[in-house]
Amino acid sequence: MKAVMISGWGRNPRLVVREMPEPGEPGPDDVLVRVQAASVNPKDWKLNYHLALLATPALSRRLPPLFGDDLAGTVIATGSHVSDFEVGDAVYGMDMNLRTASLAERTRISQFRIAKKPVSLSFREAAAMPLAALTALQGMRKGGIKAGSKVLIIGASGGVGTFAVQIAKALGAQVAGVCSGKNTELVRNLGADEVIDYTLGDYRHGNGAFDLVFDVAANESPRGCADLIAPGGWFISTGGHARSMLGTPIHRMLGRNAANIMVAPRRRDLETLSALVDDGKLRPVIDSEFDLADIEQAYQRSRTGRCRGKVVVGVAEEGVARNA
């Protein structure tokens, strides 16, 4: 089967599509999925890419593919313990294990890490959702967001941010989004009550206090955002920068409400997201779409840090499945 792997050795290897071994038969709790679409997340080029570099070119041809967390596709085989999915079902989901390998024609994934694809979404739209939307949903839960809560989302126009704005509004929160001036209309159209242009000055002062400061851009720390956090409020980060990775646990140990969110792929949370989609309260924002053969360009686009929503990769042509 075709799958993404590293080509070359040294400082500038490239991602290419080559023939790789099939994933094999599904285990008792697994399904085998024909992947229709996947998406690119910062985790892919911050972690998986560098893990792949540790393998020699000869060894990398024998390893399972490392690339891609999100997937949407069609079930083509099921394990002996699988009863909620059948061959032909259209599904979407993700797994934090390295074996997810969604940037491949076929992959194996646990039945507990997928859900039926929302009927109103294409495979490519569904593939944009799992990691980013689950992160947004679980961040809101960690922050205890409910109707009337005040939420500030830093990085509101990115992959996680576009979902966070919509989910916070669906929960009844008052939402302010931080983004650049060129993205203010997008964030406002997603439902934000207020949009703050970070290019106009230091937004961390003079913008009020919030029950949750959700830093999905992962560039801030609880200390730097202290003026934004209401008494008893939370600072939550996706944890991709040293300031948040180090500063957040320290504030947590000091008894303050601060956390780095680590997404957990759960079927029930995917089903919650599907219900929001079906209710017209949640839609993915697609920054750009690439074919599998253009995976290097897709990664480069994600690396710019300027994406409006998600970068999606079409692995196969859109097909017809049981709930498509």
Side-chain angles (χ1 to χ4, degrees), residues 19 49 79 184 258:
E19 290 295 325
Y49 180 83
T184 56

Side-chain angles (χ1 to χ4, degrees), residues 29 49-50 67 85 91 100 157 162 179 184 199 206 219-220 252 255 268 274 280 294 305 317 323:
D29 286 314
Y49 180 83
H50 296 288
F67 296 101
F85 300 97
V91 298
T100 307
S157 62
T162 52
C179 62
T184 56
T199 67
N219 288 322
E220 301 292 353
R252 183 68 171 163
R268 65 179 181 271
S274 295
D294 300 319
E317 294 295 328
N323 74 327

Side-chain angles (χ1 to χ4, degrees), residues 91-235:
V91 298
Y92 78 126
M94 60 160 288
D95 200 332
M96 291 298 285
N97 294 328
L98 294 177
R99 73 182 182 94
T100 307
S102 62
L103 287 169
E105 290 182 313
R106 288 169 290 281
T107 195
R108 187 174 55 192
I109 188 169
S110 167
Q111 64 169 324
F112 306 115
R113 305 292 187 253
I114 59 173
K116 300 289 182 64
K117 179 181 73 68
V119 175
S120 63
L121 297 184
S122 69
F123 283 108
R124 293 192 180 197
E125 288 172 324
M129 289 188 59
L131 190 148
L134 287 171
T135 301
L137 176 66
Q138 293 166 13
M140 294 298 159
R141 285 181 177 161
K142 184 70 174 178
I145 297 309
K146 57 185 181 300
S149 297
K150 294 185 65 177
V151 178
L152 179 72
I153 299 165
I154 303 171
S157 62
V160 177
T162 52
F163 289 115
V165 170
Q166 296 176 80
I167 292 171
K169 288 302 297 180
L171 293 172
Q174 297 179 14
V175 180
V178 177
C179 62
S180 66
K182 67 180 181 179
N183 293 323
T184 56
E185 183 178 359
L186 167 66
V187 174
R188 189 172 288 109
N189 289 339
L190 291 174
D193 301 287
E194 180 185 2
V195 183
I196 301 168
D197 181 355
Y198 70 79
T199 67
L200 299 181
D202 190 346
Y203 62 86
R204 297 173 298 177
H205 307 286
N207 279 301
F210 296 86
D211 300 302
L212 169 62
V213 174
F214 194 7
D215 178 21
V216 301
N219 288 322
E220 301 292 353
S221 69
R223 181 178 180 181
C225 293
D227 288 349
L228 294 169
I229 305 172
W234 276 85
F235 174 89

